[in-house]
Amino acid sequence: MEKRYHERNLMDFFTTFTSEEICEQYLIKVRFPDGMPCLKCGKKDFYPRLKDRRAYQCKSCKFFNRPTAGTIFHRTHTPLLEWFVAIFLVAFDKRGLSALLLSEELGLKYETAWAMLSRMRHAMAKRDATYKLRGYVEIDEMFIGASTEGGKRGRGTEKTPVLVAVSYTPVKGKDEVTGFAKLKAVDDINEETVIKFVKANVEQGATIRTDGLPVYPTVEKHGFKHDCEPIKKRKAHLVLPHVHTFISNLRSFVQGTHHGLSETHLQQYLDEFCYRFNRRHRRPELFDRLLRACLEQEETPYSALVG
């Protein structure tokens, strides 16, 4: 049985995807493993590809089918080969890739590179939204943005609050094992935003560990168990070790790759970081995984990206 996700390194990628035609055929194979069906009649018999368009005419009903229809690749003027290289670079760079660097690496306009990255991040978010954290979960909050006058930090600041959840697995006689993560930028940290975040991202019945902030105990009223460990004089990273290690890595991503993030598109960057973190043990497969996510994502018009 053929593996769903192929493992690729740098040499394998660039020796495999050498032309636009190869990229297009691979896209069709990945998207339609049982053969591309006509969107109108369902038949799988086509005339040869049109020379001037990425389209195939059905022999039965004469409908013109475009293999990229309904994906982030449709209606873009960027060649598939450049898309594939961009996906590979984004998937394999642990630090993330800025639009400026991508535009320089591929010789693209900054606006084009930014739109490509934004569409990929939309696809990442949609893919991760199909999963929920389960079992044992730590939840805390962090704040992202420029410091307010006077240098106030943490709760009470004017920075953007972000809810952070990281699952973990207790192992008898050993350290707990960090699992997967979820991030959500919110307007305020209160009971309403916490419950909405937990319901959307954590399976009911899970045990939620927090630091004792009053907004968290209400999760018990909604089908979750609450493990509260007030910090008091203890260090926060000892009370919530998994979430604080994750936050530390996220801060490095924000400051190192993007040198701070604007509030407007903050959630996109959070989605990207989560997507890569949740697949950190599958790095050789990340090109195939991200390509599939992009194929499952509906078209995203530019106006939706900048809105």
Side-chain angles (χ1 to χ4, degrees), residues 213-231:
L213 191 69
V215 298
Y216 292 120
T218 55
V219 299
E220 293 182 334
K221 301 177 182 178
H222 298 271
F224 303 93
K225 300 173 186 176
H226 185 223
D227 178 8
C228 175
E229 294 191 31
I231 290 181

Side-chain angles (χ1 to χ4, degrees), residues 110-154:
Y110 175 84
E111 292 77 12
T112 300
W114 183 88
M116 291 171 72
L117 285 172
S118 294
R119 288 185 170 98
M120 281 186 251
R121 290 170 184 142
H122 274 276
M124 291 176 180
K126 184 176 180 181
R127 186 63 175 166
D128 264 2
T130 62
Y131 304 102
K132 286 189 176 184
L133 305 182
R134 62 178 64 180
Y136 297 85
V137 180
E138 287 183 354
I139 294 183
D140 201 2
E141 70 280 351
M142 66 180 296
F143 299 84
I144 295 179
S147 299
T148 55
E149 187 175 353
K152 188 173 183 180
R153 303 177 65 184

Side-chain angles (χ1 to χ4, degrees), residues 72-73 76 78-87 116 119-120:
I72 70 170
F73 307 111
T76 68
T78 306
L80 283 179
L81 182 56
E82 292 182 9
W83 267 107
F84 273 42
V85 174
I87 291 172
M116 291 171 72
R119 288 185 170 98
M120 281 186 251

Side-chain angles (χ1 to χ4, degrees), residues 21-253:
E21 181 183 0
I22 290 174
C23 292
E24 184 175 321
Q25 290 305 311
Y26 189 74
L27 182 151
I28 293 172
K29 178 182 177 182
V30 170
R31 190 181 186 192
F32 307 107
D34 298 323
M36 183 173 69
C38 174
L39 295 177
K40 187 173 182 180
C41 71
K43 300 290 181 61
K44 298 180 180 180
D45 197 10
F46 300 92
Y47 291 108
R49 180 191 187 278
L50 298 184
K51 290 184 178 180
D52 58 342
R53 285 186 292 166
R54 192 184 296 130
Y56 298 79
Q57 186 178 27
C58 176
K59 289 184 176 180
S60 297
C61 68
K62 311 305 179 184
F63 182 76
F64 287 97
N65 290 264
R66 292 169 174 78
T68 57
T71 74
I72 70 170
F73 307 111
H74 199 46
R75 300 186 188 283
T76 68
H77 299 292
T78 306
L80 283 179
L81 182 56
E82 292 182 9
W83 267 107
F84 273 42
V85 174
I87 291 172
F88 180 84
L89 294 176
V90 169
F92 273 75
D93 195 323
K94 295 180 181 179
R95 303 160 299 175
L97 204 65
S98 68
L100 178 60
L101 181 57
L102 182 63
S103 66
E104 292 173 349
E105 292 291 338
L106 296 186
L108 301 170
K109 291 182 179 179
Y110 175 84
E111 292 77 12
T112 300
W114 183 88
M116 291 171 72
L117 285 172
S118 294
R119 288 185 170 98
M120 281 186 251
R121 290 170 184 142
H122 274 276
M124 291 176 180
K126 184 176 180 181
R127 186 63 175 166
D128 264 2
T130 62
Y131 304 102
K132 286 189 176 184
L133 305 182
R134 62 178 64 180
Y136 297 85
V137 180
E138 287 183 354
I139 294 183
D140 201 2
E141 70 280 351
M142 66 180 296
F143 299 84
I144 295 179
S147 299
T148 55
E149 187 175 353
K152 188 173 183 180
R153 303 177 65 184
R155 293 164 183 165
T157 182
E158 292 182 7
K159 294 182 179 182
T160 303
V162 176
L163 285 167
V164 185
V166 180
S167 67
Y168 64 94
T169 303
V171 181
K172 189 175 182 180
K174 298 181 181 180
D175 292 337
E176 297 168 346
V177 178
T178 304
F180 303 100
K182 295 280 189 175
L183 288 165
K184 180 65 177 178
V186 294
D187 294 328
D188 190 20
I189 303 295
N190 53 45
E191 291 186 8
E192 181 181 356
T193 56
V194 167
I195 294 303
K196 185 176 181 180
F197 173 72
V198 171
K199 284 185 173 181
N201 296 290
V202 183
E203 286 191 355
Q204 282 208 333
T207 298
I208 297 176
R209 184 159 68 191
T210 71
D211 62 5
L213 191 69
V215 298
Y216 292 120
T218 55
V219 299
E220 293 182 334
K221 301 177 182 178
H222 298 271
F224 303 93
K225 300 173 186 176
H226 185 223
D227 178 8
C228 175
E229 294 191 31
I231 290 181
K232 295 183 178 179
K233 295 183 179 180
R234 300 178 63 192
K235 293 185 179 296
H237 72 274
L238 296 178
V239 176
L240 301 171
H242 307 287
V243 79
H244 276 268
T245 298
F246 178 80
I247 288 174
S248 177
N249 292 333
L250 176 56
R251 290 195 187 282
S252 297
F253 167 76

